[in-house]
Amino acid sequence: MPNSTETAFTAGDITYRLTADTVRAAAARLAPADSADPHPNRSWYALVGTHLYYVVDLVEEVTGAEDVKVRTARLRLSELGFPIFALAWNTLLTQGHPGHTS
């Protein structure tokens, strides 16, 4: 169940808004993440329906914003109730990724 019906973030002077419905619509336009050939620089994914999508791709598709921060994307999607998953191994499991956790 979603924690919120709408969430927003500000980048520069623009406030971008997301809803669960706009995220689902964006997911329908994107190809799901391919677990057989994962992107080497993508660690955070959201479950939308039965597929995983990279969190930044989803938020950029919804808002049209560019250079969305991973932390912003994963927190906003989580706030809307989408399960968030991290692809992690070795020190990422014990220490986290400093660019995504600070």
Side-chain angles (χ1 to χ4, degrees), residues 17-36:
R17 301 191 184 288
L18 300 89
T19 67
D21 288 340
T22 59
V23 171
R24 286 186 200 96
R29 295 187 298 269
L30 294 172
D34 186 350
S35 61

Side-chain angles (χ1 to χ4, degrees), residues 7-91:
T7 187
F9 67 95
T10 302
D13 294 334
I14 301 172
T15 298
Y16 298 97
R17 301 191 184 288
L18 300 89
T19 67
D21 288 340
T22 59
V23 171
R24 286 186 200 96
R29 295 187 298 269
L30 294 172
D34 186 350
S35 61
D37 186 25
H39 191 286
N41 296 323
R42 294 180 175 172
S43 299
W44 290 95
Y45 297 87
L47 181 66
V48 180
T50 58
H51 298 290
L52 291 174
Y53 298 87
Y54 181 51
V55 295
V56 171
D57 288 350
L58 275 173
V59 172
E60 287 181 349
E61 181 72 20
V62 169
T63 63
E66 295 179 4
D67 299 322
V68 172
K69 304 290 184 212
V70 172
R71 184 173 193 270
T72 298
R74 68 182 174 83
L75 292 176
R76 296 295 75 81
L77 291 168
S78 178
E79 189 175 324
L80 291 173
F82 293 100
I84 305 298
F85 297 90
L87 175 63
W89 59 90
N90 298 331
T91 57

